[in-house]
Amino acid sequence: MTTTTTSGLRRSPPGDAELSAASSVAQHIGDECLRDGPVGQVGLEIEAHCFDMADPMRRPSWDELTDVIDTVPELPGGSLITVEPGGAVELSGPPFDGTVAAIEAMSADRAVLHDAFARRSLGLVLLGADPLRPAKRVNPGARYGAMERFFEASDTGTAGAAMMTSTASVQVNVDAGPRDGWADRVRLAHALGPTMIAISANSPLLAGEFSGWRSTRQRVWSQLDSARCGPILGASGDDPADDWARYALKAPVMLVHTPDAVPVTEWVPFADWADGTTLLDGRRPTEADVDYHLTTLFPPVRPRGFLEIRYLDSVPDDVWPAIVFTLVTLLDDPAAAEIAAEATEPVATAWDRAARIGLGDQRLRESAVQCVRAAAERAPEGLVSAMESLVAQVEAGRCPADDFSDRVVDRGVAAAVSQLAKGLS
């Protein structure tokens, strides 16, 4: 949900002149969406639900959260701390050279943040969806209030509220890579989606009830309009920049920055605003409007100069390093990428099946086993144990959602959440 840039490169300030046509918008988007260069940099973003250890049904207030954050010392890994609409706390790390450095930095920052919240009897729980509390916004930001009104007007108010206030993820940011490899790299990032969702699924409950899905987070996102949250690939996937421009022009305008965020409650594709078919705020869009519109699009793989991989559930601290290493290795190591491309081909579009059944689906399980084994063979010494555990879990057909479900069945959902908030096994 946050729009913090984790790439080392910064864009120049966008112009404020109105654009004359959709073709001008497409050109601007295509020119900015991917950066030509080598692979190797990795940035991580991790969201955690915040619970009161003594009363897990209570949602900590905005003032409580910001008061705790004010006590956090400078983080050793350089992460930024932000608060999601429902009070989930996110760490957004800078880019590092290599997965190991990114994992070590994020782990160090997670430890400092965890201790600061624990001193206030608050626990940061890594789950893909809030399993206990109903959706409720605590972040007073005008952008989030405007987003609520947009979702309500588009008849997706329930899913929109759940997405904003009840879901959490591990986001992996990687380089776009050399220009001549963009198409294959973006296709693979998408093809890996269902397999990695099945591996990382960790949200079997929402608002106190089992949903019937291993990744309820993915289910929630799929209930929003596909023009804003679906995959961006076109028919061939041969030109990612063109695909992204078409996607953005087709997507309805959510908010107009005037400079306050104002919701657009009618269905207005950005192309209609750009071509003057519909004027918003009495004008056509500027480059700044285009860039702001892109921050309101949430596909599972989003190009922002680099690639944001957005489809992983938030998973426990003993799991996410191995999942991150697996995903980055399958994208950045040429031999592993070949294995992944072949393994994921039969399930490359099985997004819903992955979220609902996960590794209970035989084809997804076969793909997952091949992928994690390929990554494990390339694990550095410090990640060997974590990768061995992930391989064993996948071979057994289990994901983190299964472990959490067992905990809930054994202890009840409130007790299970409370124990996780306290760091108890």
Side-chain angles (χ1 to χ4, degrees), residues 395-406:
E395 289 178 342
R398 292 180 63 86
C399 62
D402 297 314
D403 294 336
F404 183 65
S405 295
D406 290 347

Side-chain angles (χ1 to χ4, degrees), residues 2-90:
T2 58
T3 58
T4 303
T5 299
T6 56
S7 169
L9 299 178
R10 303 290 180 180
R11 296 179 182 174
S12 58
D16 58 4
E18 292 184 21
L19 297 170
S20 60
S23 58
S24 301
V25 173
Q27 183 68 44
H28 173 70
I29 294 171
D31 288 346
E32 296 287 325
C33 73
L34 295 174
R35 300 190 189 105
D36 185 16
V39 301
Q41 285 198 315
V42 179
L44 301 178
E45 303 180 25
I46 296 184
E47 298 168 337
H49 303 284
C50 185
F51 288 94
D52 183 327
M53 293 182 187
D55 181 8
M57 277 299 297
R58 188 182 75 84
R59 191 180 291 269
S61 70
W62 174 254
D63 288 342
E64 284 180 89
L65 295 169
T66 53
D67 284 348
V68 176
I69 291 171
D70 285 343
T71 72
V72 178
E74 183 176 354
L75 295 177
S79 294
L80 299 177
I81 307 171
T82 54
V83 179
E84 295 299 299
V89 181
E90 179 180 48

